[in-house]
Amino acid sequence: MSDDESKEEKELDLSSADVVTKYKLAAEIVNKALQAVLAECKAGTKVVELCDRGDSYIKTQTASVYKNAKKKIDKGVAFPTCVSLNNTVCHFSPLAGDETALSEGDIVKIDLGCHIDGFVAVVAHTHVLQEGPVTGRAADVLAAANTAAEVALRLVRPGKKTRDVSEAIQKVAAAYDCKVAEGVLSHQMKQFVIDGNKVILSVSNPETRVDESEFEENEVYAIDIVTSTGEGKPKLLDERQTTVYKRAVDKSYHLKMKASRFIFSEISQKFPLMPFTARQLEEKRARLGLVECVNHELLQPYPVLHEKTGDLVAHIKFTVLLMPNGSDRITGHSVQDVQPSSTVDDPEIKSWLAMGIKSKKKGGGKKKKGL
């Protein structure tokens, strides 16, 4: 590898100021997109309208940045806007004709992502559609998710291991008499990679195993936390609700149906690396073609999962940069007033929450030498 190539490869992580700038610009756009969707969360509003609002905001804002760059910079939606209600866990981004609408008292989970030059910022936020403070079990499940997110932010740091985070968020959820949902993964992210190899497993079970790894400086993570008042074992109830997919770039297969080949060609051109929603495709052909593509593993589906009716689910996701001076959470939204039925008295959880986010300079570092 030449020096130029080596330099270019090195600059693709947070050691490059340009990379940090792109992450932070993507985060600024995604945070504002979340605010735009939240502003339209009113009883009677259709979920599909909210999803379109989030996606169109990201597309409009990303179109106006890096317009005069010397080389074309890919940018736009990194994860299509999903709005999941009540006991629905995630990934609900319905097709255009869907009539699902918000009602007063709904627990609304908004999940979306943006990228600039492949550097991804994602966010998920939970909001209860009501005036005044949130109480009862809705407050418990929200407090569990938010407190777990605060603990995770402090434990995702160089030297700590992925298992430390998994165990901590489960302990926090239990303190509010809630469960962490199985199957939810937090991923390291790299340029054009939304689900890298380093993974934090929220709950270990026989079906899902991941290798333990250690966090390192200059890494980026999407920390994804889902808490439930139910069993924490979400199920796929209806495959037809699944509309979010990502192309599996390492798979190939000669598709038999003309509709499948048409759709896969469209996906390869428009969404070669990032997740997308079927709503963005030519609908009649998509309905036929997506099935064959999924059956032969050309596409990875993001299923719509549900806890049992009556269970309440909260979802918090944020992007964190592991900078040399500490962790920098770049996505998120302030939480509404919640009054959970229990307070956290566990000394270990309190000690985690008391940890600083910024790193202290190590002895003998550059700062001391310059004194």
Side-chain angles (χ1 to χ4, degrees), residues 33 36-37 40 48-58 81:
V37 175
E40 295 188 16
V48 69
E49 293 170 2
L50 296 172
C51 295
D52 284 339
R53 174 70 174 129
D55 291 350
S56 62
Y57 186 94
I58 291 170
T81 305

Side-chain angles (χ1 to χ4, degrees), residues 66-236:
Y66 287 100
K67 286 196 294 189
N68 301 318
K70 288 180 183 175
K71 63 171 188 174
K72 184 178 180 292
I73 286 184
D74 191 17
K75 50 202 184 325
V77 174
F79 196 85
T81 305
C82 299
V83 177
S84 306
L85 306 179
N86 304 320
N87 64 311
T88 303
V89 174
C90 54
H91 303 152
F92 188 59
S93 189
L95 299 176
D98 191 271
E99 296 293 322
T100 306
L102 272 54
S103 300
E104 192 68 25
D106 278 348
I107 297 185
V108 184
K109 294 167 286 288
I110 304 163
D111 183 7
L112 63 164
C114 168
H115 79 96
I116 305 289
D117 195 20
F119 298 105
V120 175
V122 289
V123 71
H125 178 74
T126 301
H127 179 79
V128 182
L129 203 61
Q130 67 171 65
E131 294 295 326
V134 180
T135 58
R137 292 299 278 155
D140 293 342
V141 78
L142 255 175
N146 285 306
T147 307
E150 290 298 329
V151 166
L153 173 61
R154 287 154 176 81
L155 293 180
V156 177
R157 58 170 65 197
K160 290 283 188 184
K161 293 186 165 56
T162 50
R163 185 181 60 203
D164 299 331
V165 181
S166 302
E167 291 172 352
I169 63 175
Q170 288 175 58
K171 186 166 189 175
V172 170
Y176 292 98
D177 193 22
C178 292
K179 294 278 179 66
V180 176
E182 291 182 0
V184 178
L185 305 175
S186 298
H187 286 276
Q188 183 187 6
M189 298 193 293
K190 298 181 179 181
Q191 188 182 29
F192 291 109
V193 179
I194 200 167
D195 48 3
N197 291 334
K198 280 193 177 182
V199 174
I200 305 165
L201 185 60
S202 16
V203 184
S204 58
N205 61 40
E207 289 79 41
T208 316
R209 293 185 183 278
V210 297
D211 293 331
E212 186 180 18
S213 51
E214 189 174 298
F215 302 110
E216 296 177 52
E217 200 173 282
N218 291 327
E219 291 180 336
V220 180
Y221 285 87
I223 304 302
D224 204 348
I225 294 168
V226 176
T227 53
S228 170
T229 61
E231 295 178 358
K233 297 181 178 181
K235 302 277 193 302
L236 173 65

Side-chain angles (χ1 to χ4, degrees), residues 248-316:
V249 291
D250 57 336
K251 302 284 184 183
S252 61
Y253 175 78
H254 182 69
L255 294 160
K256 304 292 188 289
M257 291 169 55
K258 188 177 178 182
S260 306
R261 293 195 296 273
F262 176 87
I263 283 300
F264 190 67
S265 172
E266 186 182 358
I267 291 165
S268 299
Q269 288 170 27
K270 291 183 179 177
F271 316 107
L273 296 166
M274 295 296 175
F276 63 93
T277 169
R279 200 170 54 253
Q280 298 165 287
L281 303 171
E282 204 274 299
E283 197 170 318
K284 277 188 180 176
R285 293 197 205 194
R287 224 177 285 148
L288 288 168
L290 287 170
V291 175
E292 189 182 7
C293 292
V294 170
N295 286 345
H296 294 284
E297 299 180 341
L298 296 178
L299 297 178
Q300 171 195 327
Y302 288 79
V304 180
L305 301 175
H306 302 265
E307 281 279 61
K308 290 176 182 171
T309 303
D311 292 340
L312 305 178
V313 177
H315 185 193
I316 298 290

Side-chain angles (χ1 to χ4, degrees), residues 14-30:
L14 298 179
S15 60
S16 160
D18 183 46
V19 168
V20 175
T21 298
K22 287 171 180 173
Y23 272 119
K24 292 198 169 181
L25 179 55
E28 184 183 337
I29 292 170
V30 91

